[in-house]
Amino acid sequence: MSKEVSEEGKTHHGKDYVDPPPAPLLDMGELKSWSFYRALIAEFIATLLFLYVTVATVIGHKKQTGPCDGVGLLGIAWAFGGMIFVLVYCTAGISGGHINPAVTFGLFLARKVSLVRALGYMIAQCLGAICGVGFVKAFMKTPYNTLGGGANTVADGYSKGTALGAEIIGTFVLVYTVFSATDPKRSARDSHIPVLAPLPIGFAVFMVHLATIPITGTGINPARSFGAAVIYNNEKAWDDQWIFWVGPFLGALAAAAYHQYILRASAIKALGSFRSNATN
Amino acid sequence: MAKDVEGPEGFQTRDYEDPPPTPFFDADELTKWSLYRAVIAEFVATLLFLYITVLTVIGYKIQSDTKAGGVDCGGVGILGIAWAFGGMIFILVYCTAGISGGHINPAVTFGLFLARKVSLIRAVLYMVAQCLGAICGVGFVKAFQSSYYDRYGGGANSLADGYNTGTGLAAEIIGTFVLVYTVFSATDPKRNARDSHVPVLAPLPIGFAVFMVHLATIPITGTGINPARSFGAAVIYNKSKPWDDHWIFWVGPFIGAAIAAFYHQFVLRASGSKSLGSFRSAANV
């Protein structure tokens, strides 16, 4: 559904949307504006709340006496997906609502955030994750230590390769959904209601948790895995930690490439081939 | 709620426009990147759909197997499995709606083809891409956990004990009718005009339709209502019982889609009676 757009002063512009220019790789000017630091604080607080609610849900479930007494794995998956929905909704207009270094990495590869901002976000997210899990440990220390600390590890019966593959594909689903939700082409055609974007992103997190909790407890968020590993500080959690950084970053890379080069056809458009209509 | 619309021509008071029927053969499509992009999008979407959903099914069966280290109430439960199917359809329809129309299901493609919303070439290519994507998606699940996959039924659709073939077929027909009917309603140009053109809201009822049908028919057939989903699991699992029952998961969904297309086009949109000019109650019907 393409809309007729009258553009004054623009020739040959049949599109009803405008792609923003690529973010500069190094933008030191950002360091001088309050909105940059406000965004960092927002990412820190969002990731703190995310880890606090989700890890508390995990420990609370495991703490119950009977196997049927807690909220169940379905409830845990809802906690992760639901919190992402809530927090992306709250911070979308402030920081873009990443709450996940893999999402930040994917958007950086797509030139939507600068290197300075990307690094700042990742650090804020990791610090927020540590503080969030720290709160959980402070509030329920004994069950936290005895029940696995909410840390991500490869479950018995699965190989490291399987876990890596699961993390890659899981993060691909999430970052691909983020790209679709934030695509300026879609925003123009959805009558510019970006507030609706957080729902599918939250659902994507929920879905991936349903699928991969049995395998790795589901990372797909390096800050989440890092925060739990730091506070729990267990050998196995650290042994497997590399999976929860390499996997998500590879998945984000694949999603960025898929969206930019296949769905948006950046390279093909540059070559001018396969041009079907001006709104493509 | 009829709106008074002043049109430039006489008798044109509608606030929406029906798109013209898609040509049956549109060879010109083959020269456009948007067709191949749509096919790739359908392939990837169906791959992700099968990967997440079948992985959820196998994971649930592992965790609830009390004879092999699982516990009662372990895993996400059958409710979680239904959420996985419905939620993934919501996400993937949302992501691919603007690219391929977000079918992810040969029955949906078939229904839209009958309603002249996609051409034959596009319909066939979509179905092939969906089936290939389904095979690859389940292939990933098997690659990740080969022994578990084989031990716990491979996520394949087959008739459960206690149900006969007719019941399975009827469940698939009605289930697919619900889904395709929802797709038609969500994409109806008449409704879009009156919902202020916010198509982003369309994926949510479609996802919920899949979720609802899974709640109802998982005990009967494991719920197909998507021939690609059933086909992908049957190919990778490759046992005789899923193949014996496999025809149910193509005949049922296609019949359900045909009924939904007929119902929407000829009863709700009243295409037939409109062309005859009868039953005209208001100019904006």
Side-chain angles (χ1 to χ4, degrees), chain B residues 57-115:
Chain B
V57 170
I58 303 298
Y60 160 70
K61 291 189 174 178
I62 294 168
Q63 303 235 316
S64 59
D65 183 2
T66 53
K67 295 186 287 286
V71 293
D72 291 330
C73 302
V76 298
I78 292 181
L79 178 61
I81 292 171
W83 269 118
F85 280 92
M88 273 317 277
I89 289 292
F90 165 55
I91 294 165
L92 294 169
V93 171
Y94 178 85
C95 292
T96 61
I99 298 165
S100 65
H103 298 185
I104 313 172
N105 184 333
V108 170
T109 303
F110 182 66
L112 291 171
F113 168 69
L114 292 181

Side-chain angles (χ1 to χ4, degrees), chain A residues 67-68 73 78 158 162 165-166 169 176-177 180-181 186 190-191 196 200 203-204 207 210-211 258 262-263 265 274 280, chain B residues 31 33 37 41 44 51-52 55-56 62-63 72-73 79-80 83-84 87-88 91 94-96 99 144-145 197 200:
Chain A
C68 303
L73 293 192
W78 266 120
Y158 295 96
T162 294
I169 301 181
Y176 170 46
T177 306
S180 293
R186 119 160 282 130
D190 288 348
S191 305
L196 293 172
F203 257 91
M207 293 298 108
L210 289 178
Y258 175 62
I262 296 182
L263 299 186
F274 278 121
N280 192 13
Chain B
T31 61
W33 166 247
R37 178 182 65 185
V44 172
Y51 167 77
I52 294 287
L55 198 61
T56 302
I62 294 168
Q63 303 235 316
D72 291 330
C73 302
L79 178 61
W83 269 118
M88 273 317 277
I91 294 165
Y94 178 85
C95 292
T96 61
I99 298 165
F144 286 175
Q145 45 189 3
H197 294 285
V200 69

Side-chain angles (χ1 to χ4, degrees), chain B residues 136-149:
Chain B
C136 292
V138 185
F140 271 119
V141 177
K142 178 164 184 173
F144 286 175
Q145 45 189 3
S146 183
S147 58
Y148 285 142
Y149 179 84

Side-chain angles (χ1 to χ4, degrees), chain B residues 144-163:
Chain B
F144 286 175
Q145 45 189 3
S146 183
S147 58
Y148 285 142
Y149 179 84
D150 288 330
R151 188 189 313 168
Y152 293 114
N157 287 124
S158 60
L159 215 50
D161 297 337
Y163 295 96

Side-chain angles (χ1 to χ4, degrees), chain A residues 215-276:
Chain A
I215 300 178
T216 59
T218 309
I220 71 172
N221 183 333
R224 174 254 179 286
S225 307
F226 182 71
V230 167
I231 300 295
Y232 189 49
N233 205 20
N234 169 273
E235 181 181 347
K236 180 154 173 53
W238 282 120
D239 284 348
D240 296 337
Q241 181 69 195
W242 67 271
I243 292 173
F244 302 107
W245 285 87
V246 175
F249 275 35
L250 287 179
L253 172 64
Y258 175 62
H259 186 264
Q260 290 295 107
Y261 293 114
I262 296 182
L263 299 186
R264 298 304 309 275
S266 296
I268 294 175
K269 280 179 179 174
L271 293 174
S273 56
F274 278 121
R275 181 165 293 278
S276 54

